[in-house]
């Protein structure tokens, strides 16, 4: 077993002790995929030119080994059948026991990324963490992750935690790309880790929870390229979702306001993104309007799946309003009755919402539905939600299907901060290409989700009560059996009397 310790004279120390723990066969993961490497084994040579095609080289996903079925929660909460499964579009919700916290989630997903890609630990020059799950108001998650780099001797790693609700993962990705395209870049790779434990007090919001983490290796010559200069951002001051009470994990949420802010921010970000890409086109001699037709796939930050479907519909409405009268009549017949409406007058129009969902259904099925696989089966993971959608898309399509496509992405964090941006997928989908390896590495996502343990709504509620009881407690070892965790999972072993946390790792 591998441990992260916190003695008084030293913050952390890694010990590796060989130990076998009993693991129930039914909970074992499917056979591991062959290791692969999408990157050279040594840091890249620094040049005086812009690094080419900066983006995501590899991506790893982690989610808890147990879940609760939303139909069980509907019965337990004594609500109408379909309220969570149909109304929210959710089927399962992953959750963490007291044995897992944000540090352990990020330790696990980073370890998995580095092991799977065989990336040398000293080849990383920047490590960014995006999270809103705060267990210490001073010490960052990134400093805990630095323990994994200790054996390599690599302490020259820039970056730190970024916090703003669910937007921190995107801000971290932007920071990593900006570093790589700046004079500060030293030729090494960047890693972005984003993750959260989304929990709510009992009530209507609790079924929109979840937990998980994503780690991304960022570098040049990537199969998923961040399109340069194409970000539409909107920020403003609102109180739709926030966490002012440090004594509780739970947020204060105004659900209706948060949904309104999300859709309003989507409108603004899409408008700015379209202006920027159309300006680029004009410089290249192309004079036309950008529409959803120019995006082969569309990803959304997904608090619950129904919101993503409504968001895709909203983009269709934006395209409709900007289309010519002839195009409105020929292509958007179902929406003609709404052509004289202004965006700001449409946010509570139920007739429009229904018409949009119907008119956009085919587009949603083609461009966005596949990206909701993880969200449907695991729930919301805040900062990593959008990138879980990216992983889902890659797991549900072949490299040939994805090659050469443009993937739109909308990121939202309450408070609020939001951006609309895009990836360009490599044209090379040949066997052994970086794109082929990236897609292959995520093909086991459905099998991994299927290998989790289903627990009752009663047991889930007991775990939530345990989390409440131990939140900010000291001098304890979390209850629970580590054999229920996935092999290779880092977990919280103890919190001492000075709040210092000790972690250990399950055997592979």
């Amino acid at each position: 077993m591998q441990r992260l310790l916190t003695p008084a004279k030293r913050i952390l120390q890694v010990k590796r002790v060989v130990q076998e723990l009993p693991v129930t066969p039914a909970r074992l993961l499917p056979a591991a995929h062959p290791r692969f490497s999408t990157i050279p084994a040594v840091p890249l040579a620094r040049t005086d030119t812009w690094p080419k095609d900066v983006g995501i080289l590899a991506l790893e996903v982690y989610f808890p080994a147990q879940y609760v079925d939303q139909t069980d929660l509907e019965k337990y909460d004594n609500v109408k059948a379909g309220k969570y499964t149909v109304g929210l579009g959710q089927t399962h919700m992953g959750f963490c026991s007291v044995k897992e916290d944000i540090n352990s989630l990020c330790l696990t997903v980073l370890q998995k990324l580095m092991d799977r890609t065989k990336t040398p630990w000293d080849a990383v020059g920047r490590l960014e963490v995006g999270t809103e799950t705060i267990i210490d108001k001073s010490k960052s998650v990134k400093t805990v992750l630095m323990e994994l780099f200790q054996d390599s001797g690599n302490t020259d790693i820039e970056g730190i935690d970024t916090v703003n609700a669910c937007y921190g993962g995107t801000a971290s990705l932007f920071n990593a790309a900006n570093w790589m395209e700046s004079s500060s870049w030293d030729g090494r790779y960047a890693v972005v880790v984003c993750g959260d434990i989304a929990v709510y007090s009992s009530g209507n919001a609790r079924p929109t929870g979840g937990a998980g983490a994503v780690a991304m290796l960022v570098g040049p010559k990537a199969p998923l390229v961040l399109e340069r200069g194409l970000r539409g951002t909107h920020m403003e001051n609102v109180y739709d979702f926030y966490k002012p009470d440090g004594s509780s994990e739970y947020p204060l949420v105004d659900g209706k306001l948060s949904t309104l802010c999300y859709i309003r921010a989507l409108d603004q970000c899409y408008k700015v993104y379209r202006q920027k890409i159309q300006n680029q086109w004009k410089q290249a001699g192309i004079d036309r309007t950008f529409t959803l037709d120019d995006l082969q796939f569309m990803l959304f930050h997904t608090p619950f799946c129904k919101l993503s479907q409504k968001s895709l519909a909203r983009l269709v409405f934006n395209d409709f309003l900007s289309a010519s009268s002839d195009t409105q009549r020929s292509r958007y017949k179902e929406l003609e009755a709404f052509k004289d409406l202004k965006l700001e007058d449409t946010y509570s129009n139920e007739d429009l919402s229904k018409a949009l969902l119907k008119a956009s259904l085919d587009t949603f099925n083609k461009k966005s539905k596949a990206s909701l696989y993880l969200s449907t089966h695991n729930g919301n993971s805040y900062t990593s939600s959008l990138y879980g959608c990216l992983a889902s898309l890659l797991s549900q399509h072949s490299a040939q299907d994805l090659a050469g496509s443009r993937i739109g992405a909308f990121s939202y964090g309450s408070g609020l901060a939001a951006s609309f941006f895009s990836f360009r997928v490599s044209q090379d989908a040949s066997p052994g290409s970086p794109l082929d390896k990236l897609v292959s590495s995520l093909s086991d996502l459905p099998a991994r989700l299927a290998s989790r343990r289903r627990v009752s709504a009663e047991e889930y509620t007991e775990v939530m009560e345990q989390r409440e009881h131990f939140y900010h407690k000291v001098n304890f070892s979390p209850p629970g059996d580590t054999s229920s965790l996935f092999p290779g999972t880092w977990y919280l072993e103890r919190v001492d009397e000075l709040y210092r946390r000790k972690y250990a790792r399950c055997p592979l």
Side-chain angles (χ1 to χ4, degrees):
M1 182 181 294
Q2 192 173 348
R3 284 187 169 86
L4 299 187
L5 304 177
T6 57
K9 291 186 178 180
R10 192 166 168 210
I11 299 293
L12 293 167
Q13 177 183 358
V14 176
K15 290 187 177 180
R16 293 177 175 85
V17 181
V18 178
Q19 178 180 352
E20 291 186 1
L21 292 178
V23 181
T24 305
R27 296 177 194 166
L28 287 173
L29 284 173
H33 281 231
R35 286 174 177 251
F36 72 97
S37 177
T38 61
I39 61 166
V42 294
L44 301 170
R46 177 67 195 275
T47 68
D48 292 329
T49 60
W50 285 106
K52 184 176 175 60
D53 295 338
V54 172
I56 298 173
L57 291 160
L59 189 149
E60 187 64 59
V61 179
Y62 173 75
F63 42 80
Q66 64 281 329
Y67 71 93
V68 61
D69 194 288
Q70 293 280 11
T71 58
D72 293 341
L73 275 181
E74 287 173 345
K75 295 173 185 176
Y76 182 81
D77 291 342
N78 196 28
V79 299
K80 183 179 179 181
K83 182 177 177 66
Y84 305 154
T85 52
V86 178
L88 297 176
Q90 304 298 129
T91 58
H92 305 141
M93 180 170 62
F95 65 94
C96 295
S97 72
V98 184
K99 278 201 167 295
E100 293 189 274
D101 64 11
I102 186 57
N103 290 338
S104 70
L105 262 62
C106 292
L107 283 165
T108 299
V109 77
L110 175 58
Q111 181 98 56
K112 285 167 62 69
L113 175 75
M114 300 296 281
D115 289 350
R116 186 191 282 256
T117 60
K118 301 179 183 178
T119 305
W121 292 92
D122 59 0
V124 176
R126 190 175 186 93
L127 174 61
E128 291 271 349
V129 176
T131 186
E132 63 168 275
T133 305
I134 308 301
I135 55 178
D136 192 293
K137 291 181 285 186
S138 177
K139 182 176 174 60
S140 66
V141 175
K142 189 263 180 76
T143 61
V144 177
L145 299 184
M146 284 303 300
E147 184 63 28
L148 297 180
F149 292 84
Q150 185 178 24
D151 287 352
S152 71
N154 181 18
T155 61
D156 179 21
I157 304 177
E158 295 185 9
I160 207 70
D161 292 7
T162 299
V163 178
N164 187 92
C166 303
Y167 188 78
T170 294
S172 296
L173 179 60
F174 288 173
N175 288 345
N178 291 346
W179 171 75
M180 197 154 284
E181 294 182 340
S182 77
S183 61
S184 298
W185 185 50
D186 63 4
R188 292 183 292 169
Y189 301 104
V191 172
V192 173
V193 177
C194 47
D196 279 294
I197 298 172
V199 288
Y200 297 86
S201 58
S202 57
N204 292 337
R206 177 160 279 187
T208 64
V214 169
M216 295 171 276
L217 186 68
V218 178
K221 301 180 182 179
L224 298 181
V225 180
L226 279 164
E227 292 201 279
R228 189 178 294 161
L230 294 181
R231 301 177 192 169
T233 293
H234 174 72
M235 299 197 180
E236 62 176 286
N237 179 28
V238 292
Y239 281 89
D240 57 326
F241 170 112
Y242 52 111
K243 297 178 180 177
D245 184 359
S247 66
S248 171
E249 280 194 286
Y250 302 139
L252 297 179
V253 186
D254 185 331
K256 289 185 178 180
L257 175 61
S258 194
T259 300
L260 170 61
C261 290
Y262 181 108
I263 297 298
R264 191 174 63 205
L266 175 63
D267 285 342
Q268 292 300 316
C269 290
Y270 188 50
K271 175 183 176 182
V272 175
Y273 177 91
R274 288 198 301 176
Q275 289 172 342
K276 289 185 177 181
I277 195 169
Q278 286 169 185
N279 287 339
Q280 286 191 2
W281 286 351
K282 284 183 180 179
Q283 293 175 8
I286 302 169
D287 188 10
R288 67 178 181 85
T289 301
F290 177 92
T291 71
L292 275 175
D293 290 341
D294 297 298
L295 297 171
Q296 284 67 56
F297 303 100
M298 184 64 218
L299 313 175
F300 298 93
H301 166 61
T302 305
F304 53 93
C305 292
K306 204 69 173 183
L307 181 58
S308 292
Q309 185 174 359
K310 291 180 178 179
S311 298
L312 191 282
R314 189 71 185 183
L315 296 183
V316 169
F317 185 57
N318 276 267
D319 285 355
F320 164 73
L321 291 181
S322 64
S324 66
S325 298
D326 289 342
T327 302
Q328 286 181 341
R329 285 192 295 269
S330 61
R331 184 167 181 179
Y332 303 98
K333 293 180 181 178
E334 310 98 319
L335 303 179
E336 274 201 280
F338 308 100
K339 65 181 180 180
D340 295 325
L341 295 179
K342 296 180 180 179
L343 281 177
E344 56 269 25
D345 298 330
T346 61
Y347 295 114
S348 59
N349 190 320
E350 290 299 323
D351 291 336
L352 173 63
S353 296
K354 291 177 183 178
L356 284 173
L357 286 174
K358 182 179 179 181
S360 63
L361 183 59
D362 288 344
T363 304
F364 168 75
N365 288 336
K366 292 176 183 177
K367 297 182 185 293
S368 298
K369 187 175 181 179
S371 70
L372 299 180
Y373 192 87
L374 180 59
S375 296
T376 301
H377 293 282
N378 187 57
N380 189 7
S381 55
Y382 290 165
T383 56
S384 63
S385 170
L386 176 63
Y387 303 98
C389 289
L390 176 58
S392 295
L393 179 71
L394 298 176
S395 76
Q396 300 292 301
H397 287 279
S398 68
Q400 290 74 22
D401 290 340
L402 296 162
S405 64
R406 173 179 279 130
I407 302 173
F410 175 66
S411 181
Y412 176 86
S414 292
L416 63 79
S419 290
F420 194 109
F421 59 104
S422 55
F423 299 96
R424 263 294 187 189
V425 183
S426 168
Q427 295 279 1
D428 184 6
S430 60
S433 65
L435 177 60
D436 177 64
K437 290 177 180 179
L438 174 61
V439 171
S440 296
S441 74
L442 294 163
S443 63
D444 64 346
L445 184 61
R448 289 172 56 200
L449 285 165
S451 72
R452 296 174 301 167
R453 179 173 66 98
R454 177 176 177 174
V455 305
S456 67
E458 289 78 9
E459 183 178 346
Y460 162 73
T461 302
E462 289 175 4
V463 171
M464 291 298 101
E465 291 172 351
Q466 279 187 345
R467 291 189 64 89
E468 289 180 14
H469 174 73
F470 286 103
Y471 190 68
H472 279 329
K473 287 288 191 298
V474 297
N475 201 24
F476 76 95
S477 295
D481 183 3
T482 58
S483 65
S484 65
L485 301 173
F486 285 138
T489 298
W490 285 95
Y491 62 91
L492 177 64
E493 191 174 46
R494 182 161 181 77
V495 179
D496 73 12
E497 67 279 0
L498 295 178
Y499 292 92
R500 296 173 299 189
R501 293 175 176 246
K502 181 174 71 174
Y503 297 89
R505 192 184 184 203
C506 294
L508 291 170

